[in-house]
Amino acid sequence: MARERIRLLIKGVVQGVGFRPFVYQLAQRHDVSGFVLNTGEGVVVEAEGELKDLERFRHALKPEAPPRAVIESISPRIMHVQGDAGFVIQPSLAQPDEFQLVSPDIATCDDCAAEVFDPADRRWRYPFTNCTNCGPRFTIIEDMPYDRPKTTMNKFEMCSDCQREYDDPNNRRFHAQPNACPVCGPRLSFVGRRPQDQTTADQQTVNLEGEEALAAAVEMLQAGQIVAIKGLGGFQLACDAGNEDAVKRLRDKKHRYGKPLAVMTETIKEAAEICFINAAEQELLESPERPIVLLRRRPKDVVAPNIAPGNNYIGIMLPYTPLHQLLLRDTGLILVMTSGNISEEPIAAENTEGLRRLEHVADGWLLHDRDIYSRYDDPVVRIVEGHRVMIRRARGYAPYPVHLTFKAKKEVLAVGGELKSTFCLLKEGYGFVSQHIGDMENVETFEHFERTLELYKRLFRINPEVVACDMHPDYFSSKFARDLKAPRLVEVQHHHAHIVSCAVENGWRDQVIGVAFDGTGYGTDGTIWGGEFLLADWAGFERAAHLKQIRLPGGEAAVEKPYRTALSYLLSTYGDAYADLGLDFLSRLDPVETEILERQVATGLLSPLTSSAGRLFDAVSSLIGVRDAIEFEGQAAIELEMQSDEAEHGRYEFDYIAAPGQPTVINTDPLIKGIVNDLLKCVPAAVIGAKFQATVADIIVATCGRLREATGVRTVALSGGVFQNATLYARVIKGLKKQDFRLLLHKELPVNDGGISLGQAVVAHTLAAT
């Protein structure tokens, strides 16, 4: 029968996931000749054979692809028959101007894990075991195409056994770029003092390698010490999660006071002893991404209570590297596994950096000699009402892009916000949102931002023509954007970016009722917004309604001291008569400071106006005696949620203030008065907290109803850090669904400021295209 030949350009995540050997084996099975190779724009296949064989071959590519491959498009083209005798895998072809998607790092697969614990296998207890289905990817890539010379594995020359695997198309390690074994690959080392040497007069630092290094780390963890472990994307700080003293030492040394710590368990069974786990949560825990999943803790503490003080949830993850598996198996412990940094700094990545920056934190360092090219935190996720809520997007998820419903006409860079920073690059049909960078409050984080941005630009061949930033005049990211002197700079209002980000994730271009509830966002009127209802599309927005504004005495100082915001709410609601209410809250205030705060509120001195929902939560938390001053962002609101009585269904009142041509104001005076009346009746804080959260949910649902009636818009997008409150988020989702709204929720990006860079980019692209 006549032979035919086709050329296929396959785009997606098709490099570093075993795709070429899969194509090779598929061709063998269907009696197809030709070749497959990696190029700068994707995988190219030229296949020749009888028509029926070609059709079977082509139609099997997508459904039978390797588990971590993501095929986004297959573009066919008819070619002239060349009479190839067999099918071969050709060397990669670099194309400087073309790009392709990059795989995130992947948790250890079952096959590799089995080898690690098989005494008869040559990779027995080897901490860097991997294959084409698992292991490091993004963290070791310097440039594309994804070949070993362009990764940090280039300094490790493969032994004959590894080379044989690497060259064999029928082996699952065929062209696995991080392929290695104990003979030729990366090695562990340990620096520190063994536990038995900790109390001696001459504390000698030991340097160990291989199994001795691992044994020293295990011994140290079992003795209640803190070990800095170099992992996939940077250092992690580990200690015995059941040892309260060890956890306290870690908190003190890391300067992480109060904020929950993540733990790692060897098995799902161990995790289920600590927390309740439903099917969706188990699926997340066991997924190849292996995120930290926020789970409701069981009444009986299996881990130290100070793992997550004042919190009903614990972040748990399962091991995602052989090194983690070995540590957990050998120690027999549940381990705290938290970012290797001092609070608010980026995660340490390289050996010398880890030794220097964690000098006063760790007792020992478990190192290795495989370099990390891009640092990578652990992702944090939770399930609310069956929906995945991304808290921190990092390892396992980035740099996989958000798919756009349009092709970008111009390449765009959006630099995100100030806290939980990410950036976004638009190219063609993709929004490349970076991994979590951190809070742009120090030089180290800003340098991490710049290095990561340069990597993304190089990997995805992007040279931005348009730059977008937040409207806030003092954000580091916005100053950076302005200094770039791009041909076009677009400043995007913070909450507009939130809403557009959510809409874009859902492929929604039309106008929405956008509910943006967070702590801080610079408004178009120069005040601080944060309790916003916007009528928005990609090109613009109208501020339709917002929470009543109050003064924020001391500005940022009020964020750290919620009692200041609580006092401002009392002054706004009662005026000077607040002092006669007889509240216990007032007895906790310093009279001299109170007088100063009153004057600030009255004059507006260093007291900006705010409509922030985050500050309303802070104020109520302080009023009812939950938290007057915070140790980390959001602590007052989190503890209010955790201490609320889930069985309580009461509510408070609220009303609206409408003026022609002005946004509707949601008047919180009745709400504050209801809380004060309950306090005077000695109603428990748990009941008040529950009634307050139910009222905020009612405000959102009712206000969306008013706006639908006025405009006919029936699609609602929810975004902003306040929706990290699972109790509130669940109530709002249920309430809006009951009222038959079309609901848009974040799917891939964080609901907090980690998601706004996508919205900034799309707004800027929309405006630049007009």
Side-chain angles (χ1 to χ4, degrees):
M1 293 184 64
R3 292 171 65 82
E4 297 190 17
R5 187 181 185 93
I6 56 170
R7 181 185 190 273
L8 305 173
L9 173 60
I10 304 169
K11 290 191 172 187
V13 180
V14 287
Q15 292 195 23
V17 291
F19 194 76
R20 286 178 300 167
F22 155 69
V23 173
Y24 174 89
Q25 291 163 16
L26 197 64
Q28 300 288 332
R29 200 164 79 229
H30 291 288
D31 197 23
V32 167
S33 61
F35 65 82
V36 58
L37 81 158
N38 280 341
T39 74
E41 58 178 339
V43 168
V44 169
V45 178
E46 288 200 15
E48 186 172 309
E50 294 183 11
L51 181 59
K52 61 179 177 59
D53 294 329
L54 285 177
E55 287 297 308
R56 289 179 188 144
F57 169 79
R58 180 179 165 186
H59 291 305
L61 284 168
K62 207 162 188 175
E64 297 182 26
R68 301 307 298 160
V70 180
I71 296 176
E72 297 193 338
S73 66
I74 300 177
S75 303
R77 198 170 80 201
I78 302 297
M79 306 288 288
H80 292 298
V81 173
Q82 296 184 13
D84 293 337
F87 197 91
V88 297
I89 299 173
Q90 293 188 352
S92 296
L93 175 65
Q95 295 171 296
D97 296 329
E98 300 293 341
F99 80 99
Q100 59 181 286
L101 303 185
V102 176
S103 170
D105 291 26
I106 307 166
T108 305
C109 69
D110 291 342
D111 289 335
C112 285
E115 292 173 343
V116 170
F117 291 105
D118 180 1
D121 194 278
R122 73 187 190 92
R123 288 187 174 84
W124 180 51
R125 295 183 60 78
Y126 184 55
F128 306 98
T129 300
N130 67 86
C131 70
T132 54
N133 296 321
C134 69
R137 296 292 187 273
F138 176 64
T139 52
I140 63 171
I141 293 174
E142 299 176 17
D143 204 349
M144 296 296 280
Y146 176 56
D147 288 319
R148 195 174 178 108
K150 293 186 177 182
T151 74
T152 60
M153 285 297 294
N154 61 1
K155 66 181 180 182
F156 298 100
E157 184 176 349
M158 283 182 282
C159 66
S160 58
D161 287 336
C162 286
Q163 189 69 52
R164 192 176 305 113
E165 294 169 331
Y166 185 88
D167 292 334
D168 181 2
N170 294 307
N171 192 291
R172 78 174 198 279
R173 293 192 169 92
F174 175 74
H175 278 232
Q177 307 307 337
N179 188 32
C181 74
V183 174
C184 64
R187 291 179 61 81
L188 288 177
S189 60
F190 175 86
V191 176
R193 289 177 287 276
R194 302 289 284 266
Q196 63 266 28
D197 299 328
Q198 294 283 324
T199 56
T200 61
D202 54 337
Q203 294 183 1
Q204 296 295 315
T205 299
V206 297
N207 290 270
L208 304 169
E209 291 192 352
E211 278 290 337
E212 287 187 333
L214 185 61
V218 167
E219 186 180 358
M220 189 165 269
L221 290 166
Q222 290 173 330
Q225 302 292 306
I226 300 166
V227 179
I229 300 165
K230 185 180 178 183
L232 266 184
F235 277 83
Q236 295 169 307
L237 290 165
C239 71
D240 178 1
N243 185 326
E244 196 162 354
D245 290 336
V247 175
K248 184 179 184 304
R249 283 185 66 239
L250 176 57
R251 285 193 175 282
D252 291 343
K253 287 173 172 285
K254 186 176 160 68
H255 304 158
R256 187 179 174 117
Y257 306 109
K259 196 172 185 178
L261 296 165
V263 301
M264 182 179 280
T265 66
E266 184 181 3
T267 65
I268 194 76
K269 182 180 178 183
E270 278 186 324
E273 291 172 0
I274 303 170
C275 294
F276 298 101
I277 305 174
N278 63 33
E281 291 163 341
Q282 180 170 341
E283 184 179 350
L284 263 181
L285 282 167
E286 296 178 331
S287 70
E289 291 80 14
R290 288 289 200 283
I292 297 169
V293 182
L294 301 185
L295 303 167
R296 182 177 285 276
R297 68 199 300 172
R298 291 185 180 275
K300 183 181 178 182
D301 278 320
V302 176
V303 295
N306 55 349
I307 290 286
N311 202 307
N312 302 333
Y313 291 80
I314 293 179
I316 295 184
M317 60 180 155
L318 297 180
Y320 54 87
T321 71
L323 179 56
H324 290 132
Q325 293 172 328
L326 289 164
L327 283 168
L328 291 163
R329 179 74 57 90
D330 291 0
T331 61
L333 300 173
I334 296 168
L335 295 175
V336 168
M337 202 66 71
T338 188
S339 301
N341 59 0
I342 304 296
S343 286
E344 312 311 328
E345 293 181 0
I347 186 172
E350 289 307 333
N351 291 348
T352 54
E353 181 190 8
L355 289 165
R356 173 178 54 82
R357 285 177 51 199
L358 303 176
E359 178 184 6
H360 301 295
V361 182
D363 301 306
W365 287 258
L366 186 58
L367 310 171
H368 62 73
D369 55 354
R370 184 179 68 205
D371 292 336
I372 296 168
Y373 200 77
S374 185
R375 52 187 102 211
Y376 224 17
D377 276 289
D378 291 316
V380 183
V381 187
R382 79 186 313 167
I383 298 291
V384 178
E385 286 296 301
H387 299 277
R388 185 179 73 182
V389 180
M390 186 72 70
I391 308 296
R392 183 170 72 195
R393 184 175 182 266
R395 172 188 52 76
Y397 295 96
Y400 194 68
V402 175
H403 289 74
L404 308 176
T405 55
F406 63 95
K407 276 213 166 189
K409 297 176 182 176
K410 295 178 182 291
E411 295 180 356
V412 180
L413 163 65
V415 297
E418 189 81 346
L419 302 179
K420 300 176 178 62
S421 176
T422 64
F423 60 79
C424 177
L425 290 158
L426 290 194
K427 180 168 183 169
E428 296 183 5
Y430 302 111
F432 294 98
V433 179
S434 74
Q435 70 267 36
H436 169 81
I437 301 292
D439 296 349
M440 302 283 275
E441 297 176 341
N442 53 61
V443 173
E444 292 86 357
T445 305
F446 186 67
E447 289 175 347
H448 174 29
F449 177 94
E450 289 188 298
R451 283 194 301 271
T452 308
L453 175 57
E454 288 306 310
L455 174 62
Y456 273 66
K457 286 165 64 178
R458 182 167 67 253
L459 290 178
F460 304 117
R461 313 298 194 246
I462 298 175
N463 184 24
E465 306 164 71
V466 179
V467 174
C469 67
D470 194 278
M471 287 179 60
H472 199 295
D474 297 327
Y475 278 3
F476 279 115
S477 57
S478 299
K479 291 176 181 177
F480 169 78
R482 295 183 190 105
D483 289 343
L484 290 176
K485 306 297 183 188
R488 178 79 184 267
L489 175 70
V490 179
E491 296 184 351
V492 182
Q493 199 281 322
H494 187 87
H495 301 99
H496 186 208
H498 263 300
I499 298 307
V500 172
S501 174
C502 182
V504 170
E505 275 201 75
N506 287 273
W508 190 263
R509 300 186 69 122
D510 296 334
Q511 193 174 56
V512 299
I513 299 168
V515 184
F517 270 36
D518 64 1
T520 300
Y522 191 77
T524 54
D525 59 0
T527 67
I528 299 172
W529 295 5
E532 309 305 312
F533 295 82
L534 310 180
L535 290 168
D537 59 22
W538 295 2
F541 71 93
E542 173 193 344
R543 191 186 193 194
H546 60 81
L547 295 178
K548 177 188 174 183
Q549 292 183 314
I550 54 110
R551 292 283 176 185
L552 201 60
E556 284 297 312
V559 177
E560 297 176 3
K561 299 174 180 178
Y563 66 84
R564 290 182 169 215
T565 312
L567 179 63
S568 184
Y569 264 102
L570 291 178
L571 283 163
S572 176
T573 304
Y574 291 97
D576 292 341
Y578 86 90
D580 301 323
L581 292 172
L583 293 173
D584 287 343
F585 162 77
L586 300 175
S587 68
R588 302 197 301 272
L589 303 183
D590 176 78
V592 175
E593 183 184 15
T594 299
E595 188 176 339
I596 295 170
L597 296 175
E598 287 175 345
R599 199 155 48 242
Q600 283 186 299
V601 169
T603 62
L605 178 66
L606 299 176
S607 299
L609 284 168
T610 183
S611 58
S612 167
R615 300 293 79 81
L616 175 59
F617 270 80
D618 287 351
V620 174
S621 181
S622 179
L623 271 177
I624 67 177
V626 172
R627 171 66 59 175
D628 288 331
I630 64 169
E631 298 168 311
F632 63 90
E633 185 201 3
Q635 185 178 17
I638 290 169
E639 291 183 1
L640 182 148
E641 178 192 3
M642 295 304 127
Q643 295 184 30
S644 294
D645 183 354
E646 295 179 4
E648 174 58 44
H649 299 292
R651 274 122 165 116
Y652 296 111
E653 294 181 355
F654 62 92
D655 56 33
Y656 296 97
I657 302 170
Q662 297 295 318
T664 298
V665 174
I666 299 149
N667 184 19
T668 53
D669 288 0
L671 165 61
I672 298 298
K673 288 178 179 178
I675 290 171
V676 167
N677 289 339
D678 274 354
L679 287 170
L680 294 175
K681 295 176 193 173
C682 298
V683 173
V687 172
I688 299 175
K691 290 171 68 176
F692 164 68
Q693 290 178 104
T695 305
V696 174
D698 286 352
I699 286 171
I700 292 171
V701 175
T703 306
C704 288
R706 284 171 62 100
L707 293 174
R708 177 172 61 182
E709 187 176 333
T711 65
V713 178
R714 56 178 297 272
T715 301
V716 175
L718 302 179
S719 191
V722 167
F723 291 119
Q724 292 173 129
N725 178 318
T727 302
L728 175 68
Y729 202 42
R731 282 185 179 275
V732 172
I733 290 171
K734 288 178 183 176
L736 290 171
K737 284 183 176 179
K738 191 174 181 180
Q739 294 299 317
D740 199 30
F741 280 96
R742 179 187 291 110
L743 195 53
L744 307 182
L745 306 174
H746 284 283
K747 298 174 180 177
E748 302 173 52
L749 300 184
V751 70
N752 57 45
D753 283 5
I756 66 169
S757 60
L758 174 66
Q760 290 176 342
V762 172
V763 170
H765 180 272
T766 303
L767 296 178
T770 56

